[in-house]
Amino acid sequence: MVDDIVRQAEQRWNAPTSKVHDNHAEGPVYTVRRLQVTDWRMFRSLRLEALADTPLGFGETLAEAERLTDADWWHRAEALAHRTDQAMLVAAAQETLVGMAGVRWRDPQTAEIVAVYVTPRMRGQRFGLGRLLLDAVHGHVVTTAPGSRIVLYVHPLNARALTFYNRNGFALTGEIRHHRFDARHHWLQMASVSWTERV
C-alpha cells in the first residue's frame, strides 16, 4: 500500500533534486537537498539512528519512533517535503541519508532549526557537512520568510553542539525550554547572531 502511495506521489509532484553541494575531494560524494517523499525509508533509518545516538537531543524517544508504521513515516516525509510551515534538508550519499537539519515556524517571524544530526562517520570539519546543512536551512528560511528570527535549542551537556553552533553564528539568548519527556533536563536557546545584532 505504501509503495502505491509513493508511486502516486512521484507522478503528482515529480519533485526535482535541488543540488546544493557535492564533495568530491574526500570520502563519499553527498548532496544536500530538501527531503523528498520517496526518501521516507532512508529518513526513517536516519531518524532512528539519531534518536539512539543522541536521545536528549530530540523531542521524541526512540521507543515512540519505533512504534510508527510505514504509513506514519511516509506521511511524515510528505509533510516535511511539501508543507510551507516546516521542511527537512538532508544530505544524501550513495543511496543513503547521512545527515539532516529541519526547520519549523513557531510564529510568522520565528523559524526554529530542529533535528540536526550527522551520522558519526561523516562528522568533523574534514567533511563540513553540519555547516552545509545549516547553510541550506538558512537559505530555505531566507527564501521562504525573509527577515525571520532563526533560533535553535541545545542540551547544555552537549558541548560539541554548543561549540559548533557558536562557531557558526549562533549565540545563547538566556531562554530555556524544559525537555518534553524528562523534566530534569532542559534545552538552551541559541539565536542567529546576525538576527541578534539586527535587533
Side-chain angles (χ1 to χ4, degrees):
M1 177 180 178
V2 174
D3 288 338
D4 291 336
I5 295 174
V6 169
R7 280 194 293 271
Q8 291 172 12
E10 289 176 319
Q11 293 170 359
R12 285 168 57 196
W13 291 301
N14 192 27
T17 297
S18 177
K19 184 176 290 187
V20 176
H21 178 81
D22 279 343
N23 176 15
H24 295 281
E26 299 181 62
V29 175
Y30 57 80
T31 302
V32 177
R33 57 172 173 77
R34 187 167 183 175
L35 184 76
Q36 298 174 7
V37 181
T38 50
D39 295 326
W40 72 269
R41 289 186 179 89
M42 295 188 295
F43 174 62
R44 175 181 59 190
S45 295
L46 186 65
R47 177 75 177 185
L48 294 178
E49 176 189 312
L51 293 173
D53 180 82
T54 318
L56 290 177
F58 297 85
E60 176 181 45
T61 67
L62 178 60
E64 288 172 336
E66 288 178 333
R67 287 195 293 268
L68 297 176
T69 66
D70 285 357
D72 291 331
W73 285 105
W74 187 92
H75 286 296
R76 183 177 287 195
E78 179 189 31
L80 292 169
H82 297 290
R83 284 178 54 167
T84 57
D85 61 343
Q86 60 179 299
M88 180 64 67
L89 284 299
V90 295
Q94 299 178 346
E95 303 302 319
T96 189
L97 299 183
V98 295
M100 61 182 176
V103 61
R104 62 188 178 196
W105 268 260
R106 295 171 55 187
D107 58 58
Q109 289 78 41
T110 307
E112 180 183 345
I113 296 176
V114 297
V116 179
Y117 179 76
V118 174
T119 198
R121 67 184 177 86
M122 296 292 290
R123 292 174 186 168
Q125 296 186 32
R126 172 189 175 193
F127 297 105
L129 187 50
R131 174 62 185 269
L132 288 171
L133 285 164
L134 280 186
D135 286 348
V137 171
H138 184 270
H140 180 80
V141 171
V142 170
T143 301
T144 305
S148 293
R149 180 190 187 197
I150 303 176
V151 302
L152 52 82
Y153 289 85
V154 186
H155 194 280
L157 296 181
N158 193 343
R160 182 183 66 202
L162 285 165
T163 300
F164 169 74
Y165 291 127
N166 184 258
R167 189 171 63 237
N168 286 282
F170 286 81
L172 292 169
T173 66
E175 181 179 325
I176 67 170
R177 174 189 289 175
H178 290 290
H179 205 282
R180 183 177 71 83
F181 50 83
D182 191 339
R184 297 170 301 174
H185 296 277
H186 63 274
W187 288 307
L188 306 176
Q189 186 190 78
M190 301 184 79
S192 170
V193 172
S194 58
W195 180 89
T196 303
E197 292 174 347
R198 188 164 64 246
V199 297

